[in-house]
Amino acid sequence: MKLDYYFLSFIDILGFSEMVKSDCHSGNSGPIFLPLIKETLSEARKIQLSENQKLIQFSDSIIVSRPFKPDSGAFKEFLNSISLLQCLLFRKGILCRGGIAHGKHSEDDDIIFSQALVEAYRIENSIAQFPRVVISDDLLNLFSPNGLPLATDTDGLTFVNYLLGIEPAEIDDLLSNALSATKSGGARVAAKGRWLVDYCRSVFPDVATEAPKSIAFHH
């Protein structure tokens, strides 16, 4: 096996355990979330922007990888594919969080052995925090974010701007649907919902959807 440099994104589907629990207790009505996730990944695979790009899903994790090229065009194509995947999931009310990195990587049908995966997972697990896919500092040192589908947050982190594929007329309905999963998840989940509302309002100032509240007042 050979280790080559790759772009790689590690993405975590938020609320996955609750989706599994819901589908496994769906009775005669059948699963809801499994078909949505399968449909989304099928759509994403059909419109991949590079023949060398791979998409793997297991449990709540999605890994997207393609060979690294030190030019902004290849990086932009990779970012566009991640933006598209996030947008497809968002349209189905599914939120995700992740990281994008580059590094040495080897993959076949039996094993993934990857420096890039270790770093992308670290970003997702320790840094991203909210429903966003954050770019590694190393990649930002290699490529200027100008002209790329990226946004920089108030905490200084740069992430994939997946709302570029959403029309203003549909954002409130899509946002309300996505927020429905955050209503009963406690303070940490509510914080993700508030971040999502802030992000949507930064792109679409006329968003009317209210953010989830983290404090319950008892009268």
Side-chain angles (χ1 to χ4, degrees):
M1 292 181 70
K2 185 180 177 184
L3 286 164
D4 295 310
Y5 280 94
Y6 270 67
F7 295 113
L8 186 142
S9 180
F10 178 86
I11 296 171
D12 175 59
I13 299 173
L14 299 177
F16 188 80
S17 60
E18 291 302 316
M19 295 178 194
V20 172
K21 186 185 298 183
S22 174
D23 277 5
C24 289
H25 292 85
S26 58
N28 294 332
S29 61
I32 296 173
F33 295 105
L34 175 59
L36 289 178
I37 293 172
K38 289 188 67 175
E39 180 184 343
T40 299
L41 297 181
S42 177
E43 289 179 40
R45 287 189 176 100
K46 287 178 183 176
I47 47 184
Q48 283 179 356
L49 300 175
S50 168
E51 292 182 0
N52 295 322
Q53 188 157 303
K54 293 183 179 180
L55 187 154
I56 298 172
Q57 186 266 334
F58 57 95
S59 186
D60 59 350
S61 303
I62 301 171
I63 297 172
V64 185
S65 62
R66 78 175 267 177
F68 175 82
K69 290 183 180 180
D71 67 80
S72 59
F75 187 40
K76 184 174 184 178
E77 280 192 359
F78 185 72
L79 292 175
N80 282 337
S81 69
I82 303 304
S83 175
L84 173 65
L85 175 58
Q86 282 188 276
C87 186
L88 289 171
L89 288 168
F90 181 62
R91 287 183 176 279
K92 291 174 172 55
I94 299 172
L95 301 178
C96 61
R97 179 182 64 210
I100 293 178
H102 83 297
K104 289 191 173 181
H105 174 87
S106 182
E107 175 182 338
D108 62 21
D109 292 339
D110 298 315
I111 186 172
I112 296 177
F113 190 89
S114 176
Q115 174 192 36
L117 175 57
V118 169
E119 176 61 12
Y121 172 77
R122 184 189 71 82
I123 294 170
E124 182 278 323
N125 187 58
S126 303
I127 296 174
Q129 189 176 1
F130 302 116
R132 56 185 178 177
V133 176
V134 172
I135 316 300
S136 73
D137 289 339
D138 286 348
L139 279 173
L140 292 175
N141 288 332
L142 289 172
F143 301 102
S144 168
N146 295 331
L148 298 177
L150 297 173
T152 299
D153 212 333
T154 54
D155 57 6
L157 296 175
T158 298
F159 65 96
V160 177
N161 182 9
Y162 61 90
L163 291 183
L164 293 172
I166 305 295
E167 295 297 326
E170 57 185 345
I171 185 61
D172 271 305
D173 287 342
L174 292 174
L175 178 56
S176 295
N177 188 35
L179 288 176
S180 64
T182 70
K183 288 181 178 177
S184 59
R188 291 179 64 185
V189 176
K192 294 179 177 68
R194 290 195 301 277
W195 181 90
L196 181 63
V197 171
D198 287 343
Y199 168 43
C200 289
R201 283 179 176 160
S202 69
V203 179
F204 304 103
D206 295 330
V207 164
T209 306
E210 291 295 327
K213 294 179 174 57
S214 58
I215 301 174
F217 294 95
H218 303 282
H219 300 286

